[in-house]
Amino acid sequence: MIKTLVLIILFMLAGCSGISRQPNNQPNSLLHFTTDDNYLVIFILINTAKNRISNKLFSQDILNFQNKIWSEKKDEYENLLSNVKSSQLTYLNFKKKIESDYVSLIDYSKKTPEFKVLKDQTGTYKQKVEKIWIDYFFKTKSVISNITGLELLNSHNIIITHPAIKNGKEVKGQWIEWGGYDEPSYVVTNLWHEILHNYFDKSNLY
């Protein structure tokens, strides 16, 4: 119930052209944005289903990269697809085990021109999402605090993945993952959703 009320209000605020925005040099916006090339390689390689694509603009670039690795590193790619499911992949389990299991595949993939295209797209996307968050953060934080009574002091790390592959999850209070969406109201609303997972039992967020 709390989540529903909060999301409705945030959606209205973020979609309103008259919302008060803050300069993007404000400190303590709760989220620390980053990317990880090694994770990006694996994340893109295992997300082969068409329903995971959120932006057709970059879909061919993704396919070009996947096809390149399939043609050059087929055995390793097949092993990856057999052992790592996109629905189960998180940044934490990647750092714990998956990264070390696929060092050769990752290193080769990062050197390809096809990956360079995707890396650049992700870097640009990170800047865009971070700016959206900073622009709307301080106004929406006051709304969330007033509704919930929370001080909202805890910072979170957020790993940004590719702009054309859907991603949005909170992992054990340590990381938020985000990718695939850049519409301001959607970004702001759903990043707050992920943040609030750390303050409420999941049963209270619906």
Side-chain angles (χ1 to χ4, degrees):
M1 174 63 105
I2 292 176
K3 177 222 171 184
T4 302
L5 178 59
V6 167
L7 294 189
I8 289 172
I9 293 174
L10 283 176
F11 187 86
M12 293 173 64
L13 280 170
C16 176
S17 60
I19 189 171
S20 173
R21 301 185 183 187
Q22 299 294 329
N24 60 12
N25 61 351
Q26 291 279 357
N28 193 27
S29 63
L30 296 187
L31 295 180
H32 302 294
F33 291 78
T34 189
T35 59
D36 184 322
D37 290 351
N38 290 358
Y39 186 59
L40 187 63
V41 165
I42 298 300
F43 181 82
I44 294 173
L45 287 178
I46 68 168
N47 277 286
T48 58
K50 291 183 178 179
N51 64 1
R52 296 289 295 164
I53 300 298
S54 63
N55 187 338
K56 293 182 179 180
L57 179 64
F58 301 130
S59 60
Q60 188 58 52
D61 296 327
I62 292 169
L63 188 59
N64 290 344
F65 174 60
Q66 292 170 339
N67 287 342
K68 171 72 172 182
I69 303 308
W70 183 262
S71 66
E72 299 293 333
K73 293 283 186 177
K74 184 177 179 179
D75 290 346
E76 292 177 70
Y77 197 175
E78 282 187 323
N79 180 275
L80 174 69
L81 294 175
S82 296
N83 291 289
V84 181
K85 305 304 179 185
S86 61
S87 60
Q88 300 171 346
L89 178 68
T90 69
Y91 189 59
L92 289 184
N93 63 33
F94 169 77
K95 298 304 287 187
K96 183 176 181 180
K97 177 172 172 58
I98 298 170
E99 184 174 31
S100 61
D101 287 345
Y102 294 96
V103 172
S104 175
L105 179 64
I106 291 170
D107 287 346
Y108 177 84
S109 299
K110 288 194 300 182
K111 295 174 183 176
T112 64
E114 289 82 1
F115 178 73
K116 177 66 164 54
V117 171
L118 301 173
K119 175 183 176 179
D120 290 346
Q121 292 167 352
T122 303
T124 300
Y125 175 64
K126 170 187 170 289
Q127 294 175 352
K128 183 174 184 178
V129 172
E130 187 169 11
K131 184 178 186 305
I132 290 170
W133 178 251
I134 295 295
D135 281 349
Y136 291 103
F137 168 72
F138 292 93
K139 180 67 173 182
T140 54
K141 181 187 177 186
S142 66
V143 174
I144 295 292
S145 294
N146 289 337
I147 292 172
T148 63
L150 298 171
E151 292 188 62
L152 300 170
L153 300 176
N154 296 339
S155 295
H156 303 77
N157 296 307
I158 176 168
I159 187 83
I160 297 295
T161 51
H162 193 268
I165 302 177
K166 300 173 185 177
N167 193 17
K169 61 174 75 83
E170 182 272 338
V171 186
K172 295 184 178 180
Q174 298 179 51
W175 283 92
I176 291 172
E177 297 184 30
W178 186 261
Y181 304 96
D182 62 5
E183 198 282 319
S185 61
Y186 192 90
V187 170
V188 174
T189 298
N190 285 279
L191 288 183
W192 272 118
H193 175 200
E194 303 305 338
I195 290 172
L196 289 174
H197 274 298
N198 290 286
Y199 292 92
F200 294 100
D201 182 271
K202 287 188 177 182
S203 63
N204 293 324
L205 283 171
Y206 297 92

